Structure formats: structure tokens, C-alpha cells
Amino acid sequence: MRFDVLTLFPGMFPSYLGQSLLKLAIERGLIDVQLHNIRDWAHDKHHSVDDRPFGGGPGMVLKVEPVVECVEATRALTPDAGHLVMLTPHGRRLDQRIVEELAANERLILLCGRYEGFDDRVRQLLAPDEISIGDYVLGGGEVASMVVIDAVARLVPGVLGDEESNRQDSFSGEDRWLEFGQFTRPREYRGLAVPEVLISGDHEKIAEWRRAESAKRTAEQRADLLDPAPTVEQPKENETERT
Ligand code: ADE
């Protein structure tokens, strides 16, 4: 899977991408992350990418031309134009379902903003998939794009090694509950013992225990996940209500 990150600060990425799971995934050719500096598409000799907002107000706004042209040039680099994601606090809030949806693409183009955000014509012209990583405002979209890369890369076959771990993860699998507690050696530490059942070797019992633990933990910490609001099907146009 290929990720193209469009940013004013490409220097923020190599350290994160150069460690642990993502480093291995890149080395194994399972993911490819290409960084592009939006400033390279600035029009004037000062390479300016931001300007004061029309109508006044604090801060600076990312200019439309460098951003749109950087996106267009990046999309044209491969036959697959990719799925364009704009990281912005105004977007739909990222969760594991959206991560799964994003992972279904072969190529993601991640557009990171800075300052007070983008000139709104970027959104109007490019119709990106606007994604927020939570209801708070970051200094820019870079950390948010790393969150997307990290969460999506885990779903690329081969990255985790054992695909079962994806299904067991919190917010994943059929029920999307929180994951059960895990233990490793030693069997006892400061008076706290590992639950007997986990050492029993009885796989059916272990699965039962884990399911119960998962339910308990979800009820205690994220009851909203136990009873998701039912999705209401909207009647299609021309479809009259049956009596
Ligand atoms: N840029 C600034 N804040 C953000 C957020 N919460 N999510 C995604 N991108 C952002």
C-alpha cells in the first residue's frame, strides 16, 4: 500500500517511520511512504504558502494554489490517483471502522494543514475525505496523518505477522468490544497471579474467559460500544412507505 504525505514539514516524519512496525513494513515493501513538500509548489520567489484571511481575523491561511497543484502533481505520479484524505478538525472522526475503510484503498494521499487551516476552495475543488482524529485542535495535520498511517498499516496483510491479532484488537472483529487483558511471565508479581484458566491449556475455556473479560471491560469502560445506536435505513427516493 502506498501513502503520499503532503506537508510543509516533511522533516517530522522520518523518525516516526524509521522505528518499530512501520520501519519493518517499509523495509519489507509492504507499505511505501512518500513525502512531498507543499512549499515546492509555491508560486512566488519567496515560496510563500500562507496569507492573511480575507475578512480579517487572527492567524494565516494556507493558500489554495500550492495545495491544489501539489495534490494534482502527486496524484499524477501513478496510474492510481489514490484516495485523497484531508486531515482537519472539521472532518468525520476517525475510528476503527473508518480505518478499515481507508485500508481498502491501494493508495492514500494525506493532506496536512497548518496555521488556521486551508483556503476553503481546496475543499471545494478537490472534494477530499475530511478526517479528524478527535475533537481537539492540533498545530497541524502531521501527527494526525501519522495516526492514520499507523492504524491503516496494521491492517495491511503481513504487517503484523499474525492476522488474528487484528481481529482480537479493541474496536475490531464482529463485536468491536475492548480487548481482554493479556498476561505474560512471571506467573505472580507483587501478590498478583495470572488467572489460572490461562495456564490450563484448555483453549475452549480460555476463549470463554477472554470473551467474558472483554464484555466486562467494555461494560465498565466503554458501555457505548455494547449497544451501538441502530442504523435507521432511509427510504429510497420514489419508494413509498408500505402500510
Ligand atoms: N489538524 C488540526 N487538528 C486536527 C485534528 N483534530 N484532526 C486532524 N487534523 C487536525
Side-chain angles (χ1 to χ4, degrees):
M1 176 162 189
R2 173 172 170 145
F3 299 87
D4 290 88
V5 185
L6 280 48
T7 169
L8 287 170
F9 298 97
M12 288 182 176
F13 290 82
S15 141
Y16 193 71
L17 298 172
Q19 311 278 326
S20 187
L21 208 67
L22 293 178
K23 177 184 185 215
L24 277 176
I26 292 168
E27 281 174 0
R28 291 185 183 140
L30 298 169
I31 65 165
D32 177 19
V33 185
Q34 297 291 326
L35 304 168
H36 309 271
N37 194 335
I38 297 170
R39 200 174 291 279
D40 293 344
W41 275 266
H43 280 194
D44 62 334
K45 64 173 194 246
H46 302 294
H47 299 286
S48 46
V49 287
D50 60 328
D51 208 340
R52 284 164 299 156
F54 279 120
M60 301 288 269
V61 175
L62 264 173
K63 290 166 72 62
V64 61
E65 316 96 297
V67 175
V68 168
E69 287 158 38
C70 181
V71 170
E72 286 172 348
T74 305
R75 295 195 109 165
L77 288 174
T78 76
D80 173 6
H83 180 71
L84 178 63
V85 171
M86 176 193 267
L87 285 315
T88 160
H90 311 153
R92 53 191 183 128
R93 201 162 48 207
L94 190 68
D95 61 15
Q96 192 66 22
R97 274 195 181 83
I98 296 180
V99 169
E100 288 165 14
E101 194 189 304
L102 295 177
N105 295 281
E106 283 296 310
R107 185 182 187 204
L108 290 182
I109 317 254
L110 302 168
L111 180 54
C112 308
R114 278 270 142 185
Y115 315 121
E116 290 302 306
F118 299 94
D119 183 309
D120 200 53
R121 288 168 293 185
V122 171
R123 204 177 53 77
Q124 293 172 30
L125 286 166
L126 301 175
D129 185 0
E130 295 173 68
I131 298 280
S132 161
I133 62 162
D135 291 348
Y136 40 81
V137 179
L138 301 165
E142 283 76 13
V143 170
S145 76
M146 289 187 219
V147 167
V148 170
I149 295 172
D150 192 305
V152 169
R154 298 178 78 257
L155 301 187
V156 172
V159 168
L160 287 188
D162 178 357
E163 301 314 309
E164 178 57 24
S165 66
N166 274 333
R167 283 184 287 278
Q168 278 190 5
D169 275 341
S170 296
F171 318 112
S172 306
E174 250 163 63
D175 52 34
R176 297 188 178 274
W177 292 350
L178 298 183
E179 195 183 353
F180 46 82
Q182 299 270 26
F183 299 86
T184 184
R185 285 183 293 182
R187 283 191 182 191
E188 198 184 309
Y189 182 66
R190 298 194 180 185
L192 290 176
V194 173
E196 273 302 314
V197 60
L198 298 180
I199 311 158
S200 68
D202 183 335
H203 294 290
E204 221 169 280
K205 281 240 163 61
I206 292 173
E208 237 171 69
W209 181 87
R210 285 182 164 167
R211 190 157 172 76
E213 280 296 303
S214 187
K216 183 166 163 257
R217 186 175 274 206
T218 308
E220 282 169 7
Q221 289 173 226
R222 287 293 306 272
D224 57 304
L225 297 175
L226 284 178
D227 192 19
T231 44
V232 181
E233 284 216 5
Q234 299 293 331
K236 292 195 194 87
E237 262 177 59
N238 305 331
E239 199 174 84
T240 46
E241 232 174 88
R242 267 175 241 144
T243 46

